[in-house]
Amino acid sequence: MPKYVYSFTEGNKDLKDLLGGKGANLGEMTGLGLPVPPGFTITTDACRYYMNHGENPPELQEQVGAAIVHLEGVFGRTLGDASHPLLVSVRSGAKFSMPGMMETVLNIGLNDNSVLGLAEFAGNERFAWDSYRRLIQMFGKTVLDIDGEAFAEALDAKKAAAGAATDVELTAEDLKELVETFKAIVLKETGEAFPQDPRMQMNRAIVAVFNSWNTDRARIYRKRERISDDLGTAVNVQTMVFGNLGADSGTGVAFTRDPATGRPGVYGDYLPNAQGEDVVAGIRNTLSLADFEKIDARSYSELRDVMHRLENHYADLCDIEFTVEKGKLWMLQTRVGKRTAGAAFRIAIQLVDEGLISMDEALDRVTGAQLSNLMFPQFDASAVKTLLTKGMAASPGAAVGAAVFDSATAVEWAAAGRSVILVRRETNPDDLGGMIASAGVLTSRGGKTSHAAVVARGMGTTCVVGADALDVDLVAQSFTVGGRKVLSGDIIAIDGTTGEVFLGDVPVVPSAVVQYLEEGLDKALAAIAGDTDASELVLAVHRILTHADKVRRLRVRANADNAEDAARARRLGAQGIGLCRTEHQFLGDRRRVIERLILAREPDAKAEALNALLPLQRQDFVELFTAMDGLHTTVRLIDPPLHEFLPDRTELAVRVARSEERGSAVAEDLELLAAVERMHEANPMLGLRGVRLGLVVEGLFALQVRAISEAAAQLKKEGKDPRPEIMVPLVGSHVELDLVRDDAETIIAQVASEWDVDLSIPIGCMVELPRAALTAYKIALGAEFFSFGTNDLTQTTWGFSRDDVEGAFFNEYLEDRVFKVSPFESIDVDGVGALVKIGVEGGRRTRPDIGLGVCGEHGGDPDSIHFFNAVGLDYVSCSPFRVPIARLEAGRAAVGAAGSDSR
């Protein structure tokens, strides 16, 4: 019989696939002998069965029943018993942490009878009724799908009537009345009374957790984090311990290091006389753990010991949830904590220096996405700014945008191209869409472990929380602070590093990490001398990136079309140019020369146009090869159809028609229109372009090959070391390449003789058509290298025109999970990737020493880099800005790190 239920005593941290992260870690802590309330985990297998069949596995009810009976025997209490009740929580727990995205129900087992028994057993009537109202509220919202605002409004009304500022001030009588109000809400909204059967409560809560795996917010979160929809969630049923029993009880969240900065120490939040959801929800501003020490020194000391033990055991930052019940500490959860990008690098190096992990493991702990985050600009400290207030720095960065006060507006305005800052009293899981759309998140309530803080850190979004000077009016769509009123649409700026909130725009400056990457370690440290945090971060990035360079097999080149971009790429660590797009050199004033070439009918006129371009092209290459002296520079011969260099067909036709009406038509315009009409193609991206253009337009490729060769010859004469490579685009047949190669080799030999230098210029081609990949074994006979053009290879494999389809139906395809991610963003491993693999194997079979690289946008995508490393490419090429990211990910690929990381 399938086993769907595991006691915490049977679990461990290596069973995350089966028990989810929370269940696996509860089992691990139980095995370590830490004070964990007993319970059991329902496996992800059970959830997947439910998703596939629409009902629980037939064995589940019996196994859950047996597990509950076991708990009742351990505690000598019965679930929902009128005199001595056992209460449990039902919580989600997927393999990868999804904070706030799925459901939790506390205090299951309470009903109209057991609440009285709980009050007598605890000797605290207020606590019992508070626990009961929480159950009805959570059960109503989570299981019965009642709008949570109905309960929130009733609670606010009761507090107002009682003259209570917070729910803690409500009396037992107030809470009894609130329970009746909540039960009335349930009856009104569902047509049924709140269930009094504890087993029914638990069973329905389990199903609600299963269903929460597929809520909109959970799907949005998984889509963003690239978590598979097929994993499902486990369910954890755990004996309740109570932080709302009075002043000697409470609940909190702790981090073994600061998840925002990485600083060692004790960080977290504590709420006395509260249950765990109060901390995460941010509905009350929390106390610090230093305050907790003053309140309960013994429990604080025990917590510190547990934190130290867990961090050493997991060798990583740990995120811990705990409850104190009448002075007794209980551990409710631990997990490897999410952290900001800067914290990830600093913590990784700290753990190396403490002897807990190796440099390979440190490299595994950071990602290219995190490094990219550190390269974004920061606010200019010297700028004149208008400070509104200061809250808690929850997730670093510099964000400027229009203030918006609801998630829907944030999504709408961001889709229209506006930068927005989402302002809320506190966020909840339903705000996820708005948080993703926003440049930053600002809340007036909550602490560093609130929903807003945890989710924003995980997404790398700038966030400031607990700015309690803000009076946020969601109805009026405004906030007031210090006598100033900020309306929806007003520009504000938030600093997630300092917690500062500013009115208006604030200028930004390059980050210290970019300064290091471009100018070197010594100059960067000199520029930030005195800023300890920035210096530690730069040193951490330097050490990890240096190690990545040491261990990686893949070389990293850059896509650059001019000397300026090439020089920047070299400063950022590029080991050559993998793609120089020569068509970009024909823009601007040179467009007129191209027009002359197209219009030329006679050989002399064509020669004149080509001769005019030759010195211009040669100088382009002299500058480019100088910038990359000593490094390989792959020059792609002109690729796009020539009509792209002509005026727009419609605009030109209108201009000619108007001129003809006035009787003043210009002969040149008439010629241009005739040329445009002659060259018009229904699908130009699959028409006369690439190698076809070079074979049809006589002298065009020859011009470029001569310019490349003469530039190399000139620099060799000057004692430099140019290393050009000539790349032929859109090759589909080995015959095409052979024809171009024969002409190119003749020209190279001529130039070498004319300049009296030795010119060895490799000739290869792009592999961007399925046929090229499938016949790579033939093409390799004439190609010294392949560069996979994965942008066009994706288009031609899928039959997509990228410019058309991304706006037409990609959103629907992503929503329907046809794609998990756009195939233009990350390589389609099963389709396009299979062709790349075929091309690699075919090329190497024919020519074992053939050079293999990729120059599409995928060359800078972390997941794609891991794939390219696995199939045996020699290098990736990407935009200059992404070179450091590619270097890091190539190193991670070498040490076996996963392409994506949930951390």
Side-chain angles (χ1 to χ4, degrees), residues 100-119:
M101 296 304 112
M102 292 182 292
E103 302 296 3
T104 292
V105 183
L106 306 180
N107 306 324
I108 282 177
L110 280 175
N111 55 29
D112 292 349
N113 293 320
S114 62
V115 67
L116 303 176
L118 180 65

Side-chain angles (χ1 to χ4, degrees), residues 99-101 215-225 404-416 418 420-424 427-441 451-452 455-456 459 461 815:
M101 296 304 112
T215 60
D216 288 344
R217 64 174 183 254
R219 291 171 69 89
I220 291 170
Y221 186 87
R222 290 198 298 274
K223 176 180 171 182
R224 178 184 174 86
E225 299 296 317
V404 296
F405 293 84
D406 62 83
S407 186
T409 302
V411 171
E412 178 186 349
W413 287 12
R418 299 182 67 178
V420 298
I421 306 291
L422 180 63
V423 183
R424 303 285 285 167
T427 64
N428 63 58
D430 293 330
D431 288 318
L432 181 64
M435 295 179 73
I436 290 174
S438 300
V441 177
H451 175 268
V455 174
M459 296 192 304
T461 300
E815 185 66 29

Side-chain angles (χ1 to χ4, degrees), residues 491-533:
I491 300 299
I492 60 173
I494 62 173
D495 189 328
T497 303
T498 65
E500 293 171 308
V501 182
F502 304 102
L503 180 64
D505 199 354
V506 178
V508 295
V509 295
S511 75
V513 170
V514 168
Q515 194 169 11
Y516 150 66
L517 291 169
E518 291 206 344
E519 300 180 16
L521 183 62
D522 292 340
K523 285 187 177 180
L525 291 177
I528 57 177
D531 187 337
T532 303
D533 286 347

